[in-house]
Amino acid sequence: MKYFNELTLKNKIFISCLGFTLLVSILIALFTRSLLISSLTGELKNRGIGIAQNIADSSRVFILTGNRAELTGLAYEARRGNRRNLIKYLIISDKQGQILAHTFTSGFLENIQAIVREQDNTGDAITSRDLVRHSVFHLTVPVKEGIYTIGSVHLGLDKQHIEKLI
């Protein structure tokens, strides 16, 4: 404080303006970051729902016929390319919650079968889940044939990848 008192009026005004500008810039940056994080996370969730709805539309016939090979092919096809990092897992189940196809190569994650069975298949749902070594947004999209729900698509969006993008 003693140093500030010894400055000339011109320098005091300059330092005060510089400090105020720096403070306002930091506040604007923090506000913009929080706004950007929420909007980007929302956009990635919408992208995940779009992917899951596309898989739900494509899997309708294969669920009705019980063609697990084609369902598994659809699940792995959804994780190709740049989606591989975003989508942690994809599960296709019937209306009883029995898993028909999935993208797990080394066994199921902890409690994933229970999560699939307990999900409400009537509409799109997004829940935040902490699984073994992974934190994901678990999306559930129903597979409908007419007015009947015949199954569901479960998709796990990797939160770490979303944070890297942000």
Side-chain angles (χ1 to χ4, degrees):
M1 197 67 175
K2 182 179 177 185
Y3 177 74
F4 190 73
N5 289 336
E6 294 175 0
L7 294 176
T8 63
L9 181 61
K10 177 178 134 183
N11 288 339
K12 286 180 184 178
I13 292 172
F14 175 74
I15 291 174
S16 298
C17 289
L18 186 66
F20 180 74
T21 305
L22 185 65
L23 180 67
V24 169
S25 298
I26 290 172
L27 290 175
I28 289 173
L30 290 174
F31 176 73
T32 304
R33 177 174 161 68
S34 67
L35 189 66
L36 213 123
I37 287 172
S38 62
S39 68
L40 186 57
T41 302
E43 286 298 318
L44 288 170
K45 285 178 184 178
N46 287 339
R47 182 176 178 201
I49 287 175
I51 293 168
Q53 285 175 340
N54 187 19
I55 296 297
D57 291 340
S58 301
S59 66
R60 192 178 308 142
V61 172
F62 303 126
I63 290 175
L64 290 172
T65 59
N67 192 339
R68 289 181 179 226
E70 288 293 332
L71 289 172
T72 303
L74 279 174
Y76 276 101
E77 186 68 29
R79 288 194 65 215
R80 290 186 68 199
N82 60 357
R83 296 180 190 169
R84 183 167 187 81
N85 296 328
L86 178 64
I87 299 173
K88 199 67 176 164
Y89 61 83
L90 193 136
I91 300 169
I92 301 172
S93 65
D94 62 8
K95 65 180 175 183
Q96 288 84 19
Q98 179 185 359
I99 295 175
L100 302 175
H102 58 83
T103 58
F104 297 110
T105 55
S106 60
F108 291 118
L109 294 175
E110 181 182 311
N111 297 331
I112 200 72
Q113 290 174 321
I115 292 171
V116 170
R117 283 191 195 104
E118 75 183 24
Q119 283 298 124
D120 182 23
N121 293 339
T122 57
D124 297 350
I126 301 174
T127 57
S128 182
R129 301 277 182 170
D130 291 320
L131 304 172
V132 179
R133 299 183 318 268
H134 301 290
S135 185
V136 297
F137 289 113
H138 183 85
L139 309 175
T140 303
V141 173
V143 179
K144 294 194 175 272
E145 181 62 38
I147 60 170
Y148 300 105
T149 300
I150 59 171
S152 59
V153 174
H154 304 268
L155 189 108
L157 295 178
D158 190 11
K159 284 185 181 179
Q160 288 178 343
H161 179 69
I162 292 171
E163 289 172 5
K164 285 179 190 175
L165 290 175
I166 293 170

